Amino acid sequence: MISKEQKVKAKEFQAHHHNNKMLLIPNAWNAGSAKVFENQGFKAVATTSAGIAYSLGYADGEIIELDDLLLVTKQIIKRVNLPLSIDMERGYADDPYKVKQNIGNILKAGAVGINLEDGRPDGKLDDIELQLEKIQAISELKKELDLPFVINARTCAFWLKVGSPIENMEMAIKRSNAFLKAGADCVFVPGLLEKNSIINLLSNIDGPLNTIANPLYHDLEGLQKLGVSRLSLGSGPVRASYAKLIQTSNEIIEKGDISSLIEHDFSYAEANRYFAK
């Protein structure tokens, strides 16, 4: 059952993609990380398939199961009041109507946005016609559930480097515009994109653009001025967290040094206060 509160969050999340302020959206991997993002003042939160996979001890790439994702969705909804978008990878099915069913279950759990990608684990892109059928099928849920959730359609042309830089740009633009016509609300073009590439995408895509934080161009104010609608942090936060955990573990094993565990201000009492909010 879709609640009135969920419909309000969905409308709020939609609005974030159509105003003059770029939505900076962090990607959580469990309820705890989502709670941190909420406490620190973000306006919405999305999940990261990579982060959820890592938290379960797997590599990324369609290895986790839909039940895992559904459980994380419910856990985040239980503790966080922000609009929540779920990374559905390729929809956990090839059949468009099975994808629709899977996403319907995620929305019924409380999500107000989904991310659907066309990049396959083998490094290729799904056939564009299949991806359009998936988006069209998903779009039917808006009326069926009376929920204006956000469909963020991702093309992995740059992410997977399927062709030359020029070919990747052409594919990203073609697919993005086709996705928007099929019912997507926003298109996501992740990858190592420098400023001119982002300008080119913005000039040729007829709808809101979502990019990902990357080392080639990460000037938040600059991205805002260019007209990027949504910037994802992606797996950056979870990788930074695990990098620190790995470093700390190495210091303990190799040097017998536990100083990094105690030389900080996040005490047991402070942690309890923080997560009690």
Side-chain angles (χ1 to χ4, degrees), residues 114-270:
I114 62 95
N115 191 83
L116 185 74
E117 65 189 63
D118 61 4
R120 300 175 59 87
D122 61 8
K124 299 178 182 179
L125 298 182
D126 271 324
D127 182 80
I128 189 170
E129 294 303 324
L130 173 62
Q131 200 67 7
L132 295 177
E133 288 179 19
K134 287 183 179 181
I135 294 170
Q136 289 163 352
I138 296 165
S139 297
E140 295 171 0
L141 289 167
K142 291 187 177 184
K143 184 176 181 180
E144 292 174 11
L145 297 178
D146 189 22
L147 182 70
F149 67 96
V150 173
I151 299 173
N152 193 37
R154 165 176 164 167
T155 179
C156 298
F158 279 101
W159 187 261
L160 296 177
K161 300 177 183 177
V162 294
S164 69
I166 293 176
E167 290 171 332
N168 292 337
M169 179 62 71
E170 291 174 348
M171 279 187 282
I173 292 171
K174 177 182 178 181
R175 285 178 174 248
S176 293
N177 284 325
F179 294 166
L180 289 164
K181 288 181 180 179
D185 301 284
C186 182
V187 290
F188 184 19
V189 185
L192 293 173
L193 298 173
E194 38 79 34
K195 184 177 180 180
N196 288 335
S197 294
I198 296 172
I199 291 173
N200 196 359
L201 291 170
L202 287 166
S203 299
N204 290 284
I205 292 175
D206 302 322
L209 175 67
N210 179 187
T211 61
I212 197 167
N214 79 88
L216 289 187
Y217 188 64
H218 50 85
D219 177 355
L220 300 188
E221 184 177 350
L223 288 165
Q224 159 93 33
K225 289 180 178 178
L226 288 180
V228 172
S229 296
R230 171 170 163 175
L231 179 69
S232 299
L233 299 185
S235 64
V238 69
R239 288 186 287 104
S241 298
Y242 276 112
K244 181 62 176 177
L245 180 59
I246 292 168
Q247 177 186 344
T248 298
S249 298
N250 284 341
E251 290 171 356
I252 294 171
I253 292 296
E254 297 175 4
K255 300 178 182 179
D257 180 4
I258 66 166
S259 58
S260 62
L261 294 179
I262 56 179
E263 293 178 354
H264 59 77
D265 297 326
F266 202 50
S267 67
Y268 175 77
E270 177 57 28

Side-chain angles (χ1 to χ4, degrees), residues 26-95:
N27 297 81
W29 54 98
N30 56 22
S33 57
K35 190 65 179 175
V36 168
F37 294 139
E38 179 180 48
N39 286 351
Q40 296 309 124
F42 287 93
K43 303 300 183 183
V45 65
T47 61
T48 158
S49 66
I52 295 172
Y54 302 156
S55 73
L56 295 173
Y58 298 107
D60 190 23
E62 300 186 16
I63 296 175
I64 61 174
E65 298 179 355
L66 183 64
D67 285 346
D68 297 323
L69 188 58
L70 189 58
L71 177 59
V72 172
T73 300
K74 291 177 179 179
Q75 290 172 335
I76 293 176
I77 289 294
K78 189 174 182 179
R79 285 297 293 136
V80 173
N81 292 316
L82 297 177
L84 174 65
S85 180
I86 299 298
D87 183 353
M88 292 295 300
E89 298 191 74
R90 295 174 56 250
Y92 294 83
D94 286 322
D95 177 69

